[in-house]
Amino acid sequence: MSVKDTSPSLSTPTTPDGTNPDGPAAAAAKAVELIAQQYRDAIAGLQAIMPLLKFDSRQTRRVAASAKFAAALIEPTIAMVTSASMMKERNLFNVYDGELALELRSQIAPLFQQLASLAADGLFTIDSKAAASSVQALQSHKWAQHAAAQPDGAELVPYVAVMEHSVKKVINRRKRSAPVPTPTPTPTPAPSELPPGAKSLLAPRPAAAKPAEPENVADRFDQALDDVTKK
């Protein structure tokens, strides 16, 4: 009686469409999912520590205008309402809330500043990785652009077309930014006002030609590649 082999297969697993589920895309997704889950857990833990108000940009100026008096007024107010009998009777000031506000500013505010710095570092890290891959993508297209024009490069044509369309959209979006105002030229004096012998020196000169716009999408790709690699 033969024994059925139950050992795991060493062949590369594939999905129904023939792709490798353990390829670079799957590996990257798994790695980032682990990172994302840890951040989700950390954020959930932070949110559970202390009730937070939802940030409202419409209220920031009003809140800041009042909060600037905290360091100078809260402590002497606490001293007054806890010592003067007249103020105790009025009950105008909540001492616990005042003490809490001072402690939060002293101990917790620096921690939130660190979190803000961490968030800025995180966004910069993500953009930097995207920038590095974008440069590689532009360089890859630069090669594929020429290879697609060769007799055996037909399979590259649809990919090159998609990338050209994408870069064209990005470049055109950048050009729609606010135009730089053109300086008003200084009027040239009339010929009668010029001293003898100066007419030829101050004769109107043809305006400098504007830099030529890229003539086609290939030139646009070259321009984009230059922009991201020249710094």
Side-chain angles (χ1 to χ4, degrees):
M1 180 177 179
S2 61
V3 178
K4 186 177 180 180
D5 183 9
T6 58
S7 61
S9 173
L10 298 180
S11 61
T12 302
T14 57
T15 58
D17 61 358
T19 59
N20 179 8
D22 294 326
K30 290 180 180 178
V32 173
E33 177 57 30
L34 291 175
I35 295 172
Q37 189 57 51
Q38 293 181 70
Y39 275 115
R40 293 189 194 102
D41 294 342
I43 291 172
L46 291 173
Q47 291 175 327
I49 293 174
M50 180 179 70
L52 300 176
L53 299 175
K54 187 67 176 178
F55 176 77
D56 188 346
S57 60
R58 298 169 300 178
Q59 301 293 332
T60 53
R61 293 184 62 183
R62 179 188 64 79
V63 171
S66 300
K68 67 182 180 181
F69 294 101
L73 285 182
I74 291 180
E75 286 188 356
T77 302
I78 291 174
M80 179 177 62
V81 300
T82 55
S83 301
S85 58
M86 293 181 62
M87 291 302 301
K88 290 180 181 180
E89 295 173 0
R90 295 281 182 177
N91 194 28
L92 296 175
F93 185 85
N94 188 309
V95 175
Y96 173 81
D97 285 348
E99 295 283 10
L100 182 64
L102 291 178
E103 291 296 335
L104 288 173
R105 285 171 64 95
S106 174
Q107 298 188 50
I108 307 302
L111 299 178
F112 276 106
Q113 291 171 349
Q114 291 181 30
L115 290 174
S117 177
L118 175 66
D121 291 346
L123 293 174
F124 180 75
T125 299
I126 293 170
D127 280 349
S128 296
K129 290 184 179 298
S133 288
S134 295
V135 172
Q136 291 182 2
L138 288 169
Q139 292 171 334
S140 298
H141 181 275
K142 180 72 174 179
W143 178 88
Q145 187 179 40
H146 296 289
Q150 305 305 314
D152 59 347
E155 67 172 337
L156 295 175
V157 172
Y159 301 99
V160 170
V162 170
M163 296 179 73
E164 287 177 346
H165 178 70
S166 300
V167 169
K168 183 178 180 180
K169 288 174 60 177
V170 173
I171 293 177
N172 287 341
R173 190 181 306 125
R174 184 173 59 187
K175 287 182 178 180
R176 285 198 291 268
S177 58
V180 179
T182 303
T184 304
T186 304
T188 304
S192 59
E193 300 173 1
L194 298 177
K199 293 183 179 181
S200 60
L201 295 176
L202 299 178
R205 299 179 181 178
K210 294 182 179 180
E213 291 292 331
E215 297 179 357
N216 53 43
V217 178
D219 291 336
R220 291 179 183 273
F221 240 100
D222 291 343
Q223 177 179 316
L225 183 58
D226 289 341
D227 289 345
V228 298
T229 57
K230 65 186 178 180
K231 293 184 179 180

